[in-house]
């Protein structure tokens, strides 16, 4: 499925349907921005859900694996 992944405060979380997912470690530039080579505030790509994982891939070659957060009803962080 095609998505626009929010990257403005780094890459950490995504919601697919009613499930919230998070990475093991926030991907950022150390200042709360996306790492070099990522779009800001979004990165276009695809996400594939398999079991408890959601994998984001884009045309630039980025791949990020997110893990489901069972029973989560909101994001862990809200980007300002």
């Amino acid at each position: 499925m095609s998505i626009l992944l929010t990257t403005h405060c780094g890459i950490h979380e995504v919601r697919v349907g009613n499930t919230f997912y998070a990475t093991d470690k926030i991907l950022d530039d150390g200042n709360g921005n996306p790492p070099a080579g990522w779009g800001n505030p979004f990165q276009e790509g695809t996400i594939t859900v398999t079991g408890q994982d959601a994998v984001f891939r884009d045309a630039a070659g980025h791949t990020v694996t997110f893990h489901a957060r069972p029973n989560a009803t909101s994001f862990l962080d809200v980007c300002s």
Side-chain angles (χ1 to χ4, degrees), residues 8-79:
H8 181 65
C9 292
I11 295 96
H12 181 227
E13 302 179 85
V14 67
R15 179 179 167 186
V16 180
N18 292 324
T19 303
F20 291 87
Y21 297 83
T23 60
D24 291 330
K25 180 182 174 193
I26 296 174
L27 302 174
D28 68 10
D29 68 354
N31 295 306
N33 299 302
W38 286 81
N40 187 356
F42 302 105
Q43 184 76 25
E44 184 176 358
T46 62
I47 198 149
T48 305
V49 176
T50 305
Q52 295 296 304
D53 292 338
V55 179
F56 173 84
R57 292 182 175 88
D58 66 18
H62 301 117
T63 301
V64 180
T65 300
F66 298 86
H67 308 289
R69 298 177 40 239
N71 304 315
T73 58
S74 64
F75 289 106
L76 293 167
D77 301 306
V78 177
C79 181

Side-chain angles (χ1 to χ4, degrees), residues 1-5 44-47 56:
M1 138 185 0
S2 292
I3 69 163
L4 288 175
L5 180 68
E44 184 176 358
T46 62
I47 198 149
F56 173 84

